[in-house]
Structures are given as structure tokens and as C-alpha cells.
Amino acid sequence: MRHWKRITFVILGSGFLFCSIAAGVNFLVDPLWSFDHEVPIGRYQPMFDERQQKTNWVAFRKVEYDTIILGNSRVTYLDTRVVPGKAFNYSASSMKPVEYLPYMKFVSSRSSMPIKTVVLGMSFADTNGSNAPSFEKPETYISRTRSFGYRLKPLFNSNILRYSLGCIRRDIHGNVHNAYIRQGREVVSKQMVLPVPESELQKESADNLETYRKNVYGRSYTYQDNKEIYRALRTAFPDVKFYIFTTPVTDHLLKLLVEEGRLNDYERWITDLVDVFGEVWHFMYFNSVTGNDENFKDAHHYSPRIAEVIVRKLFGLETEKNYDDFGMKISAESL
């Protein structure tokens, strides 16, 4: 009998020890951004669940923002520190315009400051009505933060532990590529190390082009009119200044758009944006930036440096001369 008691105690003790270690590591690294403390280790955190992470960030700390940034994965590389005001970048992989309003309302309800500015990075790919949203609705992520014990349960999750350990390895090796950096009690936008190896760039670009040919610009394409979605944003936030920009892609992807016969749809998309918002900063056309692959990690994700140039153009700040042909402000008069 004593033998079995000893085995039971050993099993229970081992389980308790493992759970304690897992909870401790997961709490320190805080991969789901659920706690308001300085992360001492595991500060380099690659994409895990951006929508939930960023919703947790807003839900579980006192926030003070007057600017919201929204867009897809291309916009995640925009560093909020280069944006005038106090900005929060809510962008996430494959985020679509239909998701913007709930997240805007959520930040507005949580922030101690009124929202004065909204920056929206628009992608032509979002006009393909045949591509259904691949993520849960914003309300699902928001309501999850209000469920009982939500912050504590992931601390004992072994999958979260593996992710936390991966963040620690990244931190030790200084690998910031495609990772968010936790700095002090803040988080800065996703990083990108360029140039990527030529073989990797060619492979990623080729994969992107094939995906866009089949699923985005190809035969299944049907134009989705998003004007009502755009109008709903302006109606819900009538006093907000909207800065709208089109996200640049490489010349390779621009040529594919033309080859697949989407030029008329592309023109309609820009016209729709101008009709609703009055003016748009347009970067998705052939220019010195889109023609230089060194500004990208693949066929459509541009560097944080280019993201900073875009911000400076939006807010009327000075940029270097070599970016003079990058970006045009389009209004109803110049359309």
C-alpha cells in the first residue's frame, strides 16, 4: 500500500511541478499579451494569433490611444512610433474591411483618450468577393476576453509553453525577423530583416504569384463592392480624420493583376475609395519602390522602412528625394 501511495505522490508532485513551471514560463513570456508586466525573456514573439493577442492587449491594461491603424499583414510592419499621436496597430493577417468597425469601436470604448485619427491600409485583394473570411468575427475575439478564467487557463497549456520556449530561443539568438518585439511594458510592431536570401525571396515570390493567380486575381474573381462598409466607418466615427492608403506590392504582382484582366476592377476599387473618403494616398502602382525587390521580403510584404515612408507621406512630413515618385494623392478632382 505504501508503495502505491509513494507512486501516487510522485505522479501528483511531478504534475504539479510541470504545471508550475509551465505557468511560470508562460506568465513571464506572456505570448497571448494578457498581462501588464515587463517581459524579461522571450521578447521576440512571431505571429501566433494576432487578432486575439491584440484584443487581449486592449482588454487587459489601461490604454491611451488617439489613433488606430488597421489593415492586413502588410500593415503589421508599420511601427506605431513613427505615427504622430498615440497609435495602436490593430492590423492582422488577412484582415478585411468588414472587420475594421468592431475593432475600432472596441479600442474607442477602452481608450482613455478620444479617437481622433484612423489609418487604413487597403488591399486590392479584399475586393475579391469569392474569398470568404478565414478568421472568426471580431466579436468572438472580444467576447473571449470576458469569459471566466480566460487569462489563467492558457498558462497551463503545453502548446502555449512550446511557443513561449520558441520565443525564448529567438531572444537568445537575437532572431527578430517576422517577430513582434516586447519592449518594457510595450509592444512594437513586427520586424523584418532585409534583404532576405535571394533563393528564399525567389521561392516566396513564386509561391505568392501562384496563389494570387489561382485564388485572388484568377477566374474565381468577382468584384465585391465595399462602399457600404466604408460608409459605415465614417458614420460611426463622424469626427475622426481618416487617412486611407493603398498598400504597395512588387511589380511582379502588379503585372499579374494586368495579365489576369483585373485592371478595370482595380480602377473601380480606387474610385470607390475616393468616392467615400474624399482622398486616397495611392502606392500600388509601378514606381521605384515596387520595382526594387530589396524593399520586400516576398511579392507583397514591404519593409518597415517603406511603411515609415508611407506614414510620412500621409501626414505631410518630409521624405527623402529618392521616394519622390512613390505615392500620389488622389482626390475626386484628380481621379
Side-chain angles (χ1 to χ4, degrees), residues 15-168:
F16 177 77
L17 180 62
F18 173 79
C19 289
S20 298
I21 294 173
V25 172
N26 286 335
F27 175 77
L28 288 175
V29 176
D30 186 27
L32 281 170
W33 302 5
S34 298
F35 299 96
D36 186 16
H37 63 263
E38 183 172 345
V39 174
I41 190 70
R43 297 165 298 165
Y44 305 155
Q45 303 181 356
M47 184 178 68
F48 175 55
D49 187 351
E50 284 172 299
R51 287 166 175 78
Q52 194 63 67
Q53 286 172 294
K54 294 185 177 184
T55 300
N56 291 349
W57 184 273
V58 175
F60 296 128
R61 55 185 41 80
K62 293 181 180 179
V63 295
E64 190 178 47
Y65 301 120
D66 61 10
T67 300
I68 307 171
I69 302 164
L70 290 157
N72 59 20
S73 57
R74 301 171 190 170
V75 188
T76 58
Y77 293 95
L78 196 163
D79 193 328
T80 56
R81 293 171 295 183
V82 304
V83 180
K86 295 186 176 182
F88 180 68
N89 191 338
Y90 220 139
S91 306
S93 176
S94 300
M95 182 175 280
K96 297 184 178 297
V98 71
E99 299 178 71
Y100 294 171
L101 186 54
Y103 289 131
M104 287 168 58
K105 288 181 176 179
F106 182 55
V107 176
S108 179
S109 69
R110 293 283 304 151
S111 177
S112 61
M113 301 176 66
I115 302 302
K116 298 179 180 180
T117 306
V118 172
V119 178
L120 302 181
M122 299 297 194
S123 167
F124 176 68
D126 294 333
T127 65
N128 187 344
S130 66
N131 286 343
S134 54
F135 291 87
E136 296 177 289
K137 293 181 178 180
E139 292 80 4
T140 301
Y141 296 99
I142 294 169
S143 63
R144 196 171 287 149
T145 65
R146 299 169 182 148
S147 61
F148 179 75
Y150 168 74
R151 286 202 291 176
L152 299 178
K153 291 176 184 177
L155 294 178
F156 304 96
N157 187 303
S158 60
N159 290 326
I160 300 294
L161 176 61
R162 280 193 287 270
Y163 177 83
S164 295
L165 293 174
C167 293
I168 291 173

Side-chain angles (χ1 to χ4, degrees), residues 216-236:
V216 184
Y217 299 158
R219 294 180 180 178
S220 64
Y221 180 93
T222 56
Y223 187 84
Q224 177 173 305
D225 188 339
N226 288 320
K227 290 176 74 172
E228 288 306 311
I229 294 174
Y230 305 154
R231 291 192 183 103
L233 300 178
R234 299 207 62 175
T235 300

